[in-house]
Amino acid sequence: MDAIIKVLQSAAAKQDNNRRPTQEEAEAAVRTLLLWAGDNPDREGLLDTPQRVANTYKELFSGYAQDPADVLGRTFEEVAGYEDMILIQDIPFFSHCEHHMVPIIGKAHVAYLPDGEKVVGLSKIARVVDMFAHRLQTQESMTAQIANAIQESLRPRGVAVMIEAEHMCMAMRGIRKAGSTTTTTTFTGSFKTEVNEQVRFMTLVRGR
């Protein structure tokens, strides 16, 4: 009997963990953090802070409610058989480290090789970058997620993604090395199998 009760309690706890807290619960959590930090959430300057933080988090992590397939679903087919590289460089983004929830500030370079039948609007690529940036992230995961989302939705001959970013968890805490940049890359399709395509992508990005 005790074993059954424990299983039921565990299932209930797991279900509760999957429930999205209300706005009021989120604001109460911010008040708790303010108290834990040593400040008084009832002083004038902090009275509206819990609401502001909750609303800000709703915006900063809005990517969880978005699907890259919806963004990349509309393509242009009148491309006259264009099959060469399409490269969008220096896409700025702000994300947050999933380990410390502090900012990651950087830029993404994204290229793909169309299949000769369809291309996607340039702004859609930037929106995909923003979508994944508006989630808790590691830079490595974000790089792969962008590449895989484009590959799965557009089915191009290949995708290349490079991200260059500064992590505030290194600049603001820990070793406190401001200005250091991390670079990550992911290649799919022809970019992964053909070295010359990788070289061409890297040359265009680095030679700007």
Side-chain angles (χ1 to χ4, degrees):
M1 188 66 179
D2 290 342
I4 294 175
I5 292 174
K6 287 181 180 179
V7 170
L8 292 174
Q9 289 175 337
S10 177
K14 187 176 295 185
Q15 184 178 14
D16 190 60
N17 286 338
N18 291 331
R19 181 184 68 83
R20 183 167 188 173
T22 64
Q23 175 84 10
E24 291 74 20
E25 289 172 327
E27 292 178 17
V30 176
R31 284 180 57 87
T32 298
L33 284 174
L34 290 172
L35 285 166
W36 179 82
D39 214 322
N40 175 14
D42 292 321
R43 70 177 176 84
E44 182 180 7
L46 295 179
L47 284 176
D48 295 326
T49 296
Q51 181 182 20
R52 291 190 184 112
V53 172
N55 290 338
T56 298
Y57 270 36
K58 188 181 298 183
E59 178 181 349
L60 292 176
F61 303 124
S62 60
Y64 288 112
Q66 299 174 316
D67 186 343
D70 294 337
V71 174
L72 298 169
R74 183 181 178 185
T75 59
F76 302 102
E77 298 183 1
E78 296 181 0
V79 293
Y82 186 83
E83 296 181 341
D84 207 350
M85 186 190 306
I86 296 174
L87 169 62
I88 303 94
Q89 297 177 240
D90 299 323
I91 303 170
F93 72 85
F94 301 90
S95 189
H96 283 77
C97 163
E98 68 178 27
H99 300 139
H100 306 97
M101 294 184 70
V102 293
I104 302 171
I105 302 170
K107 54 188 175 182
H109 316 287
V110 182
Y112 70 99
L113 296 165
D115 60 3
E117 297 181 3
K118 59 182 180 296
V119 299
V120 71
L122 300 179
S123 66
K124 306 298 186 185
I125 300 297
R127 285 185 63 188
V128 169
V129 172
D130 273 347
M131 181 183 306
F132 287 113
H134 281 74
R135 303 179 183 184
L136 292 173
Q137 284 289 7
T138 66
Q139 184 173 330
E140 297 88 343
S141 294
M142 182 177 164
T143 308
Q145 288 166 358
I146 294 168
N148 292 335
I150 296 171
Q151 183 66 47
E152 290 173 8
S153 293
L154 301 183
R155 298 294 178 187
R157 291 182 294 114
V159 180
V161 178
M162 175 190 288
I163 289 180
E164 300 171 289
E166 182 177 4
H167 294 242
M168 293 301 103
C169 58
M170 286 184 61
M172 298 169 60
R173 55 163 301 282
I175 60 173
R176 298 183 182 179
K177 298 298 181 184
S180 63
T181 301
T182 300
T183 300
T184 50
T185 57
T186 293
F187 301 105
T188 71
S190 296
F191 280 112
K192 188 172 185 177
T193 59
E194 299 178 25
V195 175
N196 62 312
E197 293 291 6
Q198 286 189 31
V199 171
R200 194 156 68 104
F201 169 74
M202 298 294 288
T203 301
L204 287 171
V205 170
R206 293 304 190 194
R208 65 189 185 281

